[in-house]
Amino acid sequence: MNPRGQLDLLLLAGLQRQQPVHGYALIGSVRELSADAFDLAEGTVYPALRRLESQGWVDSTWDDNSPRPRRLYRLTHAGRQALREKRRDWAGFSVAVNAVVTAPLSADHA
Amino acid sequence: MSAIDDHLDELFDLLAGNGAAGRRLLAEAEDHLYAAYRDGVATGLSDEDAARRAIEHFGSTRQIVRQLRGTGQPRSRKIRARFLAALSTAWRIAVVVGAAAGLSYLVYGVGVRALLIADPGRNTTCNYQNRSLPWSSSCGGTANVSLVIGAALLTATAVLWLTRRSTLHRTSLPQTTTTFISIVVALSVASALVLTFTGIGILQSFLPSQDRPIGNVNLSAAGVALTIAVVYTSMRIKPLLTHG
C-alpha cells in the first residue's frame, strides 16, 4: 500500500505522538503502528519533512547528543492545527470511500 | 559498510547543487542508513543482508532527490544549478581526458626509453616513415618530451581532480545531472587518443623488424587510454542503468 497521498498526515500524526524525534525513529513508529502495511521508501520521508518545515508545520534542530549529525523534528503550533484539519479531511474521505466500497449490491448486480 | 557508502556516494553525487538542503539530506541519510544497518545486524541479519535491507527500504536515490527538488526552488537557483552542472561536467571531462592522455604519453615515453636503454645504438624511428615529432629530431628526445608531457598532464589532472573534490565539498557543485554528456565527450576524446596511438603502432608494425618494438609501445599507450575510457564509462554508466 502506497501512503504517498497521505504522507503528510502520517508524519504529522507520528510527530504528535512522539516529539522531538529524529527521522529514523519517526519512520519506525509509523511502520510499527501501521503493522508494516505501507510500501514507503524511507528516504522520501526526509524531503517530505523538509517540505512540512518550509510550510511552518514542523520545526527541526540538529541533535547535539548524537554521534552522527541528525535532525530532531517537532510539531509547531501551525502544524498541530494543520494536523487537526487533515484528520478531519481524512475522516470525511474515509467515510465517503467506505460508503462506496461497502454499499450492498442491488439484486441486478449481485 | 561499503554498500551503504556506495549508496551515500551516489546520493552525494545527485544532491550536489542543492546547497544546504542537499547537505542536510545527505547527513540524515547517512544516519538513517547506518541506524537501519545496526538494527538489521541486531536482529540477526548478516552484515551484507542488513546493508542490503537498509538500502532497499531507503529507496531509490533519484526518487529522493526528485522529491527534494520538488520542495520548491527559486528559478534563479535552478539556473545556477544548471550552470554549475555544466561547469562540473567540463571539469570532469578535463580530469578523465587528462588522465588518459597523461598516462598514454608516459607509457610511450617510458617504453621508448626502455628500448633505447636495452639497445643504446638502436637506430630507429619513433614515428611512422622516419618522421620525428616536431619538437625533437631524435628518438631519445621524443621519449623525453613524451615523458615531460605525460608528467605535466598527470600533475595538471591531479590538481584538477583535487580542486574539484574540494570545490564539491565547499560549494555543492553538482556532478551527475550531465553524466551522459560527460561519458560521451570523454569517450570521444579517449577514442581519438586510442586511434592515434593504435594507428601509428599498427603502421610501425609493418616497418622493418627494428621498428616493431616502437609500434608495440604505441599500442601499449593506446591500451592505457582505452582502459581508462572503459573503466570510467563502466563506473559512470552503472547508476544510469540502475536508476534510469
Side-chain angles (χ1 to χ4, degrees), chain B residues 15-43:
Chain B
L15 282 173
N18 287 282
R23 286 192 291 276
R24 177 169 143 184
L25 180 54
L26 189 67
E28 295 202 282
E30 184 178 359
D31 175 61
H32 181 109
L33 285 168
Y34 277 103
Y37 163 73
R38 281 194 303 274
D39 283 355
V41 170
T43 57

Side-chain angles (χ1 to χ4, degrees), chain B residues 2 8 15 39 50-51 83-84 87 133-134 143 148 152 176 204 216 238:
Chain B
S2 67
L8 287 169
L15 282 173
D39 283 355
F83 168 74
L84 289 176
L87 182 67
L133 293 177
V148 170
T176 53
Q204 281 170 330
N216 293 337
K238 192 178 159 196

